[in-house]
C-alpha cells in the first residue's frame, strides 16, 4: 500500500495487534506480523517513529537470530527498510541496540538473501554515520569492534 493507507492502519491500532502477534507461539503469525511491520517501515520516518514508540523494535531485533528462516528474513528486511526511510535518531537507536553485533552473527548465515541484505544494511548505516559525524564515522568504529573483517 501507500503512505496514506499505512496511516489508516496506524490510526486504527495496527501496532497493538501486531505487537500481540509478535508474541505468538505460532511462527506463521510471527512471520506475517513481521512482514507487515517491514512494509510499514518502508514508508517514512513518522511511521517508523510510531513503530519505535510501540516498542516493536526490541522484538524485531530478537527475531534477527530466530531459528525460523522466514522470520529472520522479515526481521532483516524490517531493519533494512527502517534504515532506508528513517532519520538519524532512528538509525542510531538501532545501532545503540547492537544491530552490528547481531548482524555479525548473520554474516555466517547460509541464506544468501539474508547475507546480501545484511551487507546492504550495514552499508546504509555507514553512509548515515558518514553524513552525520564530521571527524570520524563512529559507526565504522563499531563495525571494527564487532568483526569488521567479516563485513568486507
Amino acid at each position: 500500500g501507500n503512505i496514506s493507507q499505512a496511516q489508516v492502519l496506524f490510526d486504527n491500532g495496527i501496532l497493538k495487534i501486531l505487537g500481540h502477534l509478535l508474541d505468538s507461539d505460532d511462527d506463521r503469525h510471527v512471520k506475517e506480523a513481521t512482514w507487515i511491520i517491514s512494509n510499514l517501515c518502508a514508508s517514512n520516518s513518522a511511521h517508523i517513529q510510531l513503530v519505535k514508540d510501540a516498542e516493536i523494535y526490541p522484538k524485531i531485533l530478537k527475531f534477527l537470530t530466530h531459528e525460523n528462516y522466514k522470520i529472520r528474513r522479515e526481521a532483516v528486511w524490517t531493519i533494512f527498510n527502517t534504515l532506508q526511510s528513517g532519520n538519524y535518531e532512528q538509525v542510531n537507536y538501532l545501532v545503540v541496540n547492537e544491530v552490528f553485533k547481531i548482524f555479525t552473527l548473520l554474516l555466517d548465515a547460509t541464506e544468501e538473501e539474508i547475507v546480501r541484505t545484511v551487507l546492504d544494511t550495514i552499508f546504509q548505516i555507514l553512509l548515515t554515520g558518514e553524513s552525520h559525524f564530521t571527524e570520524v564515522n563512529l559507526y565504522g568504529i563499531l563495525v571494527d569492534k564487532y568483526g569488521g573483517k567479516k563485513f568486507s
Side-chain angles (χ1 to χ4, degrees), residues 1-151:
N2 61 36
I3 291 175
S4 62
Q5 291 168 329
Q7 188 61 51
V8 169
L9 293 173
F10 285 114
D11 291 345
N12 286 285
I14 190 70
L15 291 176
K16 186 173 184 174
I17 295 165
L18 292 172
H20 289 302
L21 289 172
L22 292 175
D23 293 330
S24 173
D25 291 332
D26 187 330
D27 281 358
R28 295 171 301 170
H29 293 158
V30 173
K31 183 263 180 196
E32 291 301 322
T34 307
W35 176 79
I36 293 168
I37 292 164
S38 173
N39 283 292
L40 292 172
C41 290
S43 57
N44 62 41
S45 62
H47 290 166
I48 290 168
Q49 191 62 43
L50 292 171
V51 172
K52 181 179 175 287
D53 292 345
E55 300 181 11
I56 298 287
Y57 282 108
K59 295 175 185 183
I60 297 298
L61 289 168
K62 184 179 83 173
F63 293 150
L64 289 171
T65 56
H66 198 281
E67 64 187 23
N68 183 310
Y69 163 73
K70 292 178 181 179
I71 293 171
R72 219 172 33 250
R73 181 185 65 207
E74 295 307 329
V76 167
W77 278 108
T78 300
I79 301 302
F80 179 81
N81 289 339
T82 297
L83 295 171
Q84 291 290 317
S85 302
N87 59 37
Y88 167 74
E89 287 77 21
Q90 293 158 342
V91 171
N92 195 57
Y93 171 81
L94 294 174
V95 171
V96 167
N97 282 282
E98 300 190 326
V99 75
F100 280 129
K101 183 176 183 180
I102 299 166
F103 275 8
T104 299
L105 301 171
L106 289 175
L107 288 175
D108 291 330
T110 58
E111 302 90 0
E112 183 180 324
E113 178 187 14
I114 285 182
V115 173
R116 189 176 34 241
T117 307
V118 164
L119 288 171
D120 288 343
T121 304
I122 291 166
F123 181 70
Q124 288 301 315
I125 294 171
L126 290 172
L127 286 177
T128 299
E130 191 173 274
S131 68
H132 183 75
F133 301 112
T134 54
E135 297 285 323
V136 175
N137 187 341
L138 297 179
Y139 295 161
I141 292 170
L142 287 174
V143 167
D144 288 340
K145 176 181 177 180
Y146 291 115
K149 294 196 186 315
K150 278 184 152 181
F151 295 116

